[in-house]
Amino acid sequence: MLIWFLPVFLFLLMIGLPVVFGLLLAPGALLVLDGSERDLAILYRNLYNGIDSFPLMALPFFMLAGEIMNRGGITIRLVEFSQAIMGHLRGGLAQVNILSSILFAGLSGSAVADTSALGSTLIPAMEKNGYTRRFAAAITAASSVIGPIIPPSGIMIIYAYVMGESVAALFLAGIVPGILVGVGLMVMVRVMADRYDLPPAERVVIANQSISGVEYWTSLVLIRATFGFFLFRIIGGVAGMFGDGANQTVNLALYAACVVSVDLLLRQYRRAVSKDFRLTCKKAVAPLLTPVIILGGILGGFMTPTEASVIAVVYALFVSFFVLGSMKVSDLSGLFARSALASSAVLLLVGAAVSFKTVVALSGAPQILAEFILSLSENPLILLLLINLLLFVVGMFLDAGPAIIILGPILGPIFVDLGVHPVHFAIIMSVNLTVGLATPPMGLVLFVAASVSREKVETISKAILPFLAVEVVVIFLITYFPAISMTIPRLTGFVQ
Amino acid sequence: MALLTGLLWPMERLNDALLAIGRALALTALMIMVAFIVYQILMRLFFDAPNWTEEGARFLMLWMTGLIAPLAYRQGGFVAIDMLERALPRVLAATLGLVLLLAAMVVIWTCASLGWDNVNSFTGRGSSASLRLPLDWFGGERMKFKNSWSFASLFVGFCLLFLVNLELILRQIIALFGGADHLKPLEDAGPID
């Protein structure tokens, strides 16, 4: 009897019942029909326990950090920085759009936030430079899927929680695939630039940059301290100075020496570039340090991902209030309310998924599905291809978060049994489903891009096809070359 | 029709008010959560990690969810695939919408009653291991935190969802009888910026 919960659930979903109610109604109704009404209480307890979790708390905090960053005038700094770095390449502003998405991905974990923040700045700018509006909207939508792949990532926090994986391992595994999607899109833009004669490019450095004293000095100190720390870790690591008997004084002296050398190097570099270029870079330092702080904190073992997410919030507040001076205290209640609102819907969904998962396990559905899937083929490579197709189709209709919540518990165990590493499978699912966000006809990001650019969804859907082709190729690469996602987590010891 | 809109009006007012309070409490809860975890990190770096911050923050997150998720639902923030509803002719679509809302009502009602049982359960009467109300700051005695205080969060959440869903059902019936133009749009109804 219980095995019917999956078809029933899919039916409820297709006729338009909100996912969270479907997740509870399908198994609940079958429990009642089965005569085991008493188990409903267990379903409810699991819903409650599913939300009552410390690791899950990273979700509202990262959403909050993203909101603050977005409001605090940080987007425009990232765009100006990308323009200064890549604007002179062929297909200039399109390349800038992609680089901005990669950088923005380190601050936010959501493709929708990425599209609306970057789209509202870049689409008008691209149009003014002679790009068609549909091309501008398409590249914005296509590149925004990098957001949830590069850490921090909302869907990875959810997946890690529901499936009992390590958030840190998933975050690390997402870095290379995210950059790969970005590089793939850049190559495509380069090819299209010749073919369609995209507008000529120039290095755009906004002239007469000005910077406040506080920001100047904060950025100056932060950049030296950070690069100094990288250098210190590398030298110290090579020399084996971080063991048990580490001498604090020597370490401190080495760190100071590293900071001084970085300072000297930067002075050399300073002479080679214009003042405007330098200030543009300097203004991007504070926002760009966010991912460094988050990943550094988690990797260094100082913080759990949840604590790192709170540090990201505090840092974003510090930067917006004191460094950039772009936020007022009166903005805060709106920001907090919006984050609470958005995350509450997701938290409830995750709770429902946890209770759904218990019924999945009880029903024996994974075994039956596994038998069915294995009857199609026993070759994991072919099965992965089928899964790619399935996820791609699901991603067209459903947001990545809910999709990963529903499919993870069903598909994950099957493929782990087949010998696919759980972290690798998580990345396959995440990338696949996020790319689905930009896929016609129902991709969420397409609708956001359409509303930002006031261009029709159908027009954007056509213009985005070449970029989707690139993303599909990247999905195959990630699927069939586990090393792409697994190398960094392995090297850092987060995956055995 | 006049009867229906007459019924809807107090419903709307009530939800506007309750959800405004919920929103204010939820955003405060999120602020305190940030403060708790910052305090936890600082204490761990320099002294000893406090044992109550994590549980306190989880308590607040549960209440945040219970208090503001109904507002998200009211604004259409619960993910659903609405392709079918959009593809159908008006009357059929409105009927389907009503059926879906009634199905949601079954879930919400069941969860609310299970939530009530949970609050009054044996575990609900138990106390938290680490959370205490610091009444000693005000000259009283430190008071143990009852589990039911946390359990009540989702119960309250489902009660609010019940009220919102009732409002949505009324709206749907009005829409079914062709009164959709008289309804105020919910995206910007209620307490938002």
Side-chain angles (χ1 to χ4, degrees):
Chain A
M1 185 68 173
L2 220 46
I3 191 65
W4 282 98
F5 83 95
L6 202 58
V8 171
F9 170 68
L10 288 178
F11 172 75
L12 292 173
L13 210 60
M14 292 315 289
I15 61 171
L17 190 69
V19 181
V20 57
F21 297 135
L23 284 169
L24 295 169
L25 183 58
L30 290 173
L31 281 177
V32 172
L33 288 178
D34 221 13
S36 27
E37 272 163 46
R38 281 204 330 221
D39 291 344
L40 284 181
I42 302 177
L43 215 60
Y44 180 83
R45 283 294 305 182
N46 281 322
L47 166 71
Y48 176 90
N49 290 339
I51 304 173
D52 186 15
S53 144
F54 188 66
L56 196 59
M57 211 179 285
L59 205 69
F61 288 148
F62 275 129
M63 280 190 179
L64 181 59
E67 282 274 353
I68 299 169
M69 289 279 176
N70 217 344
R71 175 67 71 88
I74 282 167
T75 316
I76 189 75
R77 279 155 204 268
L78 291 185
V79 171
E80 281 178 6
F81 175 71
S82 308
Q83 270 180 326
I85 299 282
M86 288 200 81
H88 61 292
L89 295 180
R90 200 85 170 85
L93 273 178
Q95 308 282 19
V96 168
N97 197 323
I98 300 167
L99 181 64
S100 303
S101 282
I102 297 179
L103 300 178
F104 198 82
L107 311 178
S108 109
S110 134
V112 172
D114 186 315
T115 311
S116 59
L118 293 177
S120 51
T121 318
L122 273 169
I123 295 175
M126 286 177 76
E127 245 187 304
K128 217 161 80 188
N129 268 264
Y131 292 84
T132 59
R133 189 187 287 180
R134 60 168 189 275
F135 179 84
I139 188 67
T140 307
S143 65
S144 72
V145 305
I146 301 169
I149 304 177
I150 290 184
S153 155
I155 56 169
M156 286 186 195
I157 296 172
I158 296 175
Y159 187 90
Y161 174 60
V162 176
M163 299 298 291
E165 299 297 331
S166 136
V167 177
L170 295 198
F171 273 11
L172 292 172
I175 298 175
V176 180
I179 294 175
L180 204 59
V181 173
V183 172
L185 290 176
M186 284 175 178
V187 173
M188 191 63 189
V189 164
R190 180 70 188 75
V191 172
M192 288 174 86
D194 286 341
R195 181 111 184 257
Y196 298 104
D197 203 20
L198 292 182
E202 50 185 329
R203 188 187 283 273
V204 200
V205 179
I206 312 295
N208 301 322
Q209 288 279 352
S210 66
I211 188 168
S212 74
V214 181
E215 189 180 356
Y216 182 90
W217 286 106
T218 319
S219 303
L220 189 125
V221 172
L222 282 177
I223 192 87
R224 281 156 182 79
T226 314
F227 280 133
F229 187 73
F230 287 153
L231 196 62
F232 165 68
R233 289 299 296 193
I234 293 169
I235 298 176
V238 172
M241 290 169 63
F242 302 129
D244 285 334
N247 185 334
Q248 293 300 333
T249 328
V250 175
N251 279 355
L252 214 58
L254 176 65
Y255 179 55
C258 289
V259 172
V260 172
S261 356
V262 169
D263 182 56
L264 290 174
L265 275 172
L266 284 176
R267 275 168 206 276
Q268 287 296 316
Y269 159 80
R270 204 183 161 123
R271 291 193 201 113
V273 295
S274 76
K275 179 162 176 274
D276 284 330
F277 183 80
R278 205 153 46 77
L279 287 185
T280 308
C281 292
K282 195 154 259 154
K283 283 167 86 174
V285 167
L288 283 181
L289 272 184
T290 317
V292 177
I293 292 172
I294 295 172
L295 285 179
I298 299 176
L299 281 181
F302 312 117
M303 296 180 244
T304 62
T306 308
E307 290 174 341
S309 65
V310 170
I311 294 297
V313 169
V314 173
Y315 180 72
L317 284 174
F318 167 76
V319 169
S320 311
F321 271 109
F322 300 109
V323 181
L324 312 183
S326 53
M327 203 188 283
K328 297 188 294 292
V329 179
S330 56
D331 295 335
L332 281 183
S333 77
L335 284 175
F336 275 78
R338 260 199 304 285
S339 314
L341 191 76
S343 43
S344 71
V346 183
L347 289 172
L348 212 53
L349 195 63
V350 173
V354 171
S355 75
F356 182 78
K357 198 182 144 196
T358 41
V359 182
V360 172
L362 278 178
S363 69
Q367 288 84 338
I368 297 176
L369 264 177
E371 276 166 30
F372 168 70
I373 290 178
L374 288 175
S375 72
L376 296 174
S377 162
E378 289 199 357
N379 184 345
L381 297 182
I382 293 178
L383 290 178
L384 280 173
L385 176 71
L386 291 176
I387 285 301
N388 281 149
L389 291 175
L390 172 73
L391 293 176
F392 199 64
V393 174
V394 171
M396 287 179 197
F397 297 97
L398 207 56
D399 198 1
I404 216 161
I405 281 176
I406 297 164
L407 291 173
I410 299 174
L411 297 177
I414 301 175
F415 279 84
V416 172
D417 276 352
L418 279 170
V420 179
H421 195 286
V423 171
H424 181 212
F425 190 71
I427 296 296
I428 296 176
M429 281 197 78
S430 309
V431 178
N432 234 310
L433 289 169
T434 359
V435 170
L437 285 180
T439 317
M442 292 295 291
L444 191 59
V445 165
L446 288 178
F447 287 92
V448 180
S451 84
V452 173
S453 65
R454 286 190 297 283
E455 180 68 82
K456 279 208 200 99
V457 175
E458 297 83 53
T459 334
I460 304 177
S461 300
K462 263 185 227 140
I464 205 173
L465 290 177
F467 303 120
L468 281 180
V470 172
E471 283 166 0
V472 170
V473 171
V474 174
I475 289 177
F476 284 137
L477 287 176
I478 294 168
T479 307
Y480 294 115
F481 297 95
I484 293 174
S485 35
M486 299 301 288
T487 305
I488 295 191
R490 279 225 168 89
L491 284 179
T492 44
F494 278 84
V495 162
Q496 251 59 68
Chain B
M1 182 63 84
L3 175 73
L4 287 171
T5 35
L7 272 174
L8 182 63
W9 189 82
M11 227 32 251
E12 267 179 356
R13 285 301 102 84
L14 177 69
N15 282 342
D16 279 353
L18 285 177
L19 295 178
I21 298 170
R23 173 186 183 274
L25 290 174
L27 79 92
T28 317
L30 184 56
M31 284 178 176
I32 305 175
M33 278 158 68
V34 174
F36 275 10
I37 305 301
V38 170
Y39 176 75
Q40 168 179 320
I41 299 171
L42 289 179
M43 288 301 278
R44 206 193 43 229
L45 280 181
F46 300 109
F47 309 97
D48 254 344
N51 63 352
W52 54 268
T53 40
E54 269 196 34
E55 206 184 332
R58 288 206 324 261
F59 170 82
L60 291 168
M61 183 165 78
L62 281 160
W63 273 101
M64 179 191 87
T65 309
L67 288 169
I68 208 170
L71 180 60
Y73 181 48
R74 194 188 199 204
Q75 293 174 357
F78 280 17
V79 186
I81 302 177
D82 56 356
M83 268 197 326
L84 183 62
E85 209 175 327
R86 273 195 280 172
L88 289 174
R90 192 190 68 82
V91 177
L92 268 181
T95 316
L96 174 66
L98 192 61
V99 172
L100 292 175
L101 285 169
L102 291 174
M105 200 55 143
V106 173
V107 178
I108 293 170
W109 177 258
T110 316
C111 284
S113 63
L114 289 169
W116 180 242
D117 293 346
N118 195 26
V119 171
N120 294 304
S121 66
F122 183 67
T123 8
R125 269 171 274 154
S127 300
S128 149
S130 61
L131 281 183
R132 300 283 180 274
L133 267 190
L135 292 182
D136 49 337
W137 294 358
F138 312 100
E141 232 179 85
R142 277 158 69 103
M143 198 173 142
K144 286 190 173 177
F145 233 73
K146 292 265 177 263
N147 288 334
S148 55
W149 299 353
S150 306
F151 293 171
S153 58
L154 281 198
F155 169 68
V156 170
F158 279 108
C159 289
L160 289 173
L161 276 171
F162 178 84
L163 289 177
V164 170
N165 206 44
L166 215 55
E167 183 192 344
L168 294 179
I169 289 177
L170 270 178
R171 289 173 61 96
Q172 195 68 31
I173 296 175
I174 293 175
L176 190 61
F177 289 117
D181 303 339
H182 305 299
L183 297 171
K184 71 172 182 181
L186 275 187
E187 291 86 53
D188 40 55
I192 353 160
D193 301 320

